[in-house]
Amino acid sequence: MKLVFAGTPEVAVPALDSLIASGRHEVAAVVTRPDAPAGRGRRLVASPVAERAEEAGIEVLKPVKPRDEEFLARLREIAPDCCPVVAYGALLPRVALDVPAHGWVNLHFSLLPAWRGAAPVQHAIMAGDEITGASTFLIEEGLDSGPVYGTVTEEIRPTDTSGDLLTRLAFAGAGLLAATMDGIEDGSLKAVPQPADGITMAPKITVEDAHIDWSAPALRVDRVVRGCTPAPGAWTVFRGERLKLIQVAPVPEHMELAPGELSVGKNNVYVGTGSYAVELLWVQAQGKKPMRAADWARGVRIPSGERVGV
């Protein structure tokens, strides 16, 4: 088939690579978000997908909105058979959805209908799910509600951050998306409507969602930290400033600390929660680089009974 691939961040690059390497389909163009300011100089930088497409000599389209007439006219000129999508980052209007004969097929990082929305991997970790995966589905105007072509499953490991899990799903999902394109092309694959039950929503994680509630149980604190790493980054307040929490570990044998209370040993820093303590492993103070929590604690000299989250 002739394909127009839509995607923007680094997590979409493995799928683009898989389609380019397949040899079975032609990636005629790539649709991605416009260049965005990045770094200290805030200079405009192309998306990872745009950079990869340019390396491969593929035409890159960067509409401000996918309903822009100039973009739609070019899409009609290309006349793709199908448009595979991975984390494009903009809602597609009906006028665009109707262009390819086989529609737009999205790779979504959950087992639909679970975790529809912008942050499925983060929500799966924060909810304590043990299994997640990726799904390919035909895009409709509803939010991640279209019929499903296929799925792959992935175990959520006890120490997985959302970054760890998303990296694995990006590569597993790349193979699923390529196989989905093959199945659509040869007619062996039909999309199946999603069940009406089991629907959960995964809206974008906000900075406030990443604010740690120390009265919550230790397992919940650990899940929020892992789910919010690397972005937006879990945090608490220490001496009036934000302290980013990069890695913690539940410690069931430490039961005696009140929520938010710190206990500092020679090489360990513990914080009380609503159940047992968690050990702070890596933190980042405001304006500082990430560091081991024990090194941070030595630098700030924490007296007995001091708390975070105050």
Side-chain angles (χ1 to χ4, degrees):
M1 295 190 295
K2 182 189 286 188
L3 307 177
V4 169
F5 179 87
T8 298
E10 188 66 41
V11 72
V13 172
L16 176 58
D17 283 339
S18 180
L19 293 171
I20 292 171
S22 75
R24 183 164 173 173
H25 311 288
E26 174 199 355
V27 182
V30 157
V31 184
T32 191
R33 300 294 290 149
D35 297 358
R40 288 187 177 180
R42 307 304 290 164
R43 65 184 182 89
L44 290 178
V45 175
S47 75
V49 164
E51 290 183 349
R52 179 68 189 93
E54 286 164 1
E55 288 172 5
I58 297 170
E59 178 181 358
V60 179
L61 307 173
K62 302 178 182 180
V64 175
K65 294 181 179 179
R67 63 175 64 252
D68 292 350
E69 195 49 52
E70 184 179 345
F71 163 69
L72 292 171
R74 180 61 188 137
L75 189 65
R76 293 186 191 105
E77 283 178 2
I78 297 169
D81 298 301
C82 190
C83 294
V85 184
V86 185
Y88 169 47
L91 290 176
L92 296 159
R94 170 53 60 189
V95 66
L97 294 177
D98 288 341
V99 173
H102 294 286
W104 297 65
V105 176
N106 192 42
L107 172 64
H108 182 76
F109 297 116
S110 80
L111 297 175
L112 291 170
W115 304 125
R116 295 176 179 176
V121 173
Q122 293 93 325
H123 279 277
I125 290 175
M126 291 166 70
D129 292 358
E130 295 181 352
I131 298 291
T132 188
S135 307
T136 48
F137 71 95
L138 182 65
I139 293 180
E140 301 177 337
E141 289 184 274
L143 179 63
D144 300 335
S145 60
V148 172
Y149 282 105
T151 60
V152 291
T153 59
E154 182 71 34
E155 179 186 2
I156 300 179
R157 300 167 187 169
T159 59
D160 270 342
T161 65
S162 61
D164 298 333
L165 183 54
L166 195 53
T167 297
R168 295 204 307 276
L169 287 172
F171 284 94
L176 172 65
L177 187 61
T180 299
M181 293 299 105
D182 294 348
I184 291 172
E185 188 266 333
D186 65 21
S188 64
L189 201 55
K190 302 297 180 188
V192 177
Q194 294 183 35
D197 56 346
I199 297 170
T200 48
M201 305 307 293
K204 182 179 178 181
I205 302 293
T206 67
V207 171
E208 195 51 44
D209 292 330
H211 187 184
I212 294 298
D213 174 10
W214 295 107
S215 67
L219 285 177
R220 172 65 182 169
V221 171
D222 174 57
R223 289 169 183 166
V224 172
V225 171
R226 291 188 293 113
C228 293
T229 300
W235 60 281
T236 189
V237 175
F238 177 74
R239 296 179 185 171
E241 292 189 339
R242 189 171 294 189
L243 179 69
K244 187 175 180 180
L245 306 174
I246 299 171
Q247 186 181 16
V248 304
V251 188
E253 59 269 26
H254 277 263
M255 298 288 292
E256 71 281 0
L257 296 175
E261 182 182 355
L262 288 158
S263 173
V264 180
K266 185 176 180 181
N267 295 304
N268 306 90
V269 183
Y270 302 102
V271 185
T273 73
S275 57
Y276 43 82
V278 297
E279 182 180 358
L280 301 185
L281 299 175
W282 283 85
V283 301
Q284 184 175 3
Q286 205 162 304
K288 304 286 187 181
K289 293 181 178 180
M291 65 179 72
R292 292 189 180 276
D295 297 333
W296 164 77
R298 276 190 288 271
V300 296
R301 298 188 179 184
I302 298 170
S304 177
E306 189 165 8
R307 297 191 180 199
V308 288
V310 179

